[in-house]
Amino acid sequence: DAKTTQPPSMDCAEGRAANLPCNHSTISGNEYVYWYRQIHSQGPQYIIHGLKNNETNEMASLIITEDRKSSTLILPHATLRDTAVYYCIVRVASGGGSNYKLTFGKGTLLTVNP
Amino acid sequence: GAGVSQSPSNKVTEKGKDVELRCDPISGHTALYWYRQSLGQGLEFLIYFQGNSAPDKSGLPSDRFSAERTGGSVSTLTIQRTQQEDSAVYLCASSLEGRSGELFFGEGSRLTVL
């Protein structure tokens, strides 16, 4: 069952901010939002995660709406190397059972253009 | 290096042969996952190991697939009597206990069954 909805593709100009949206309207109170990306021919790479507060690290910023039904991943100054498929995933932060699995959807193919 | 190491990086085999794929997780990571990714497709969960607990094998597509993790470290994914539909990139990931949403992936093993 799909828990997140992302646009299949987006374009961004090099040096500009890339804003990648994700809808997760059925998110539960104990579920976090995780973002990964997969550059062509490489394994996925963890980017950032958050619960309800906005988060920032050296790679990106994560903005989560107050109702937590959607979020936006922001790459402040996109480079050509940021061209990748970006996955938005919701799941509990830790714990056993089937909830631990990260289920990857189809993601958004971000193409950064020169 | 300190990342997840997988071998072989490429494997070409004939239909009906058995193959073994190896994963060396990051030292100290207690959780280990196997995923596979067919050409142009998303990531498909296969199996999960966490410490000394019984592995979750719910994602294995058939009884031709098996995996083990020896000493809580290195894991081997074995595919018996390979079929052409087994052709895919097999990705291994590991994570720290308590941070199981932050997976570190290897570069994958590309399997081609002729």
Side-chain angles (χ1 to χ4, degrees):
Chain A
D1 47 339
K3 286 192 169 183
T4 64
T5 304
Q6 297 178 254
S9 63
M10 292 183 65
D11 285 281
C12 177
E14 187 178 19
R16 305 298 290 268
N19 299 287
L20 293 104
C22 180
N23 286 322
H24 31 79
S25 59
T26 61
I27 193 169
S28 300
N30 64 344
E31 286 184 315
Y32 284 64
V33 180
Y34 287 84
W35 283 83
Y36 280 74
R37 74 179 182 182
Q38 187 173 23
I39 295 170
H40 183 61
S41 297
Q42 296 183 20
Q45 177 188 24
Y46 165 81
I47 300 173
I48 198 168
H49 76 281
L51 182 63
K52 54 183 178 181
N53 296 323
N54 297 337
E55 302 288 344
T56 295
N57 63 20
E58 64 279 4
M59 290 183 67
S61 294
L62 174 60
I63 308 299
I64 303 174
T65 58
E66 193 169 342
D67 64 7
R68 303 212 318 125
K69 293 185 177 182
S70 65
S71 61
T72 301
L73 180 75
I74 301 173
L75 308 179
H77 306 287
T79 71
L80 299 179
R81 289 177 294 179
D82 291 322
T83 292
V85 177
Y86 287 77
Y87 298 98
C88 170
I89 304 163
V90 297
R91 53 144 275 174
V92 295
S94 63
S98 61
N99 293 332
Y100 62 83
K101 285 185 284 192
L102 281 177
T103 301
F104 289 80
K106 296 193 181 297
T108 296
L109 172 59
L110 174 69
T111 302
V112 181
N113 300 305
Chain B
V4 176
S5 178
Q6 292 188 245
S7 61
S9 55
N10 278 287
K11 176 71 176 180
V12 179
T13 191
E14 293 179 346
K15 177 181 174 181
K17 301 285 189 182
D18 298 350
V19 297
E20 285 190 350
L21 307 176
R22 175 189 168 103
C23 173
D24 266 294
I26 294 172
S27 178
H29 281 196
T30 57
L32 187 147
Y33 305 74
W34 283 97
Y35 285 81
R36 77 174 175 180
Q37 189 169 33
S38 302
L39 186 63
Q41 301 298 310
L43 279 82
E44 176 187 5
F45 167 80
L46 296 178
I47 188 170
Y48 162 74
F49 296 89
Q50 172 60 61
N52 296 321
S53 302
D56 183 335
K57 307 178 182 180
S58 61
L60 295 178
S62 77
D63 58 8
R64 296 186 294 105
F65 288 72
S66 63
E68 62 178 21
R69 188 179 185 191
T70 54
S73 181
V74 172
S75 177
T76 302
L77 177 69
T78 301
I79 308 172
Q80 296 178 308
R81 305 181 301 283
T82 52
Q83 303 294 313
Q84 288 184 330
E85 60 263 28
D86 300 335
S87 297
V89 176
Y90 289 81
L91 290 154
C92 176
S94 68
S95 68
L96 282 167
E97 185 171 7
R99 301 183 68 169
S100 56
E102 299 171 46
L103 271 58
F104 292 80
F105 281 83
E107 294 299 307
S109 292
R110 180 178 297 278
L111 174 66
T112 303
V113 182
L114 301 177

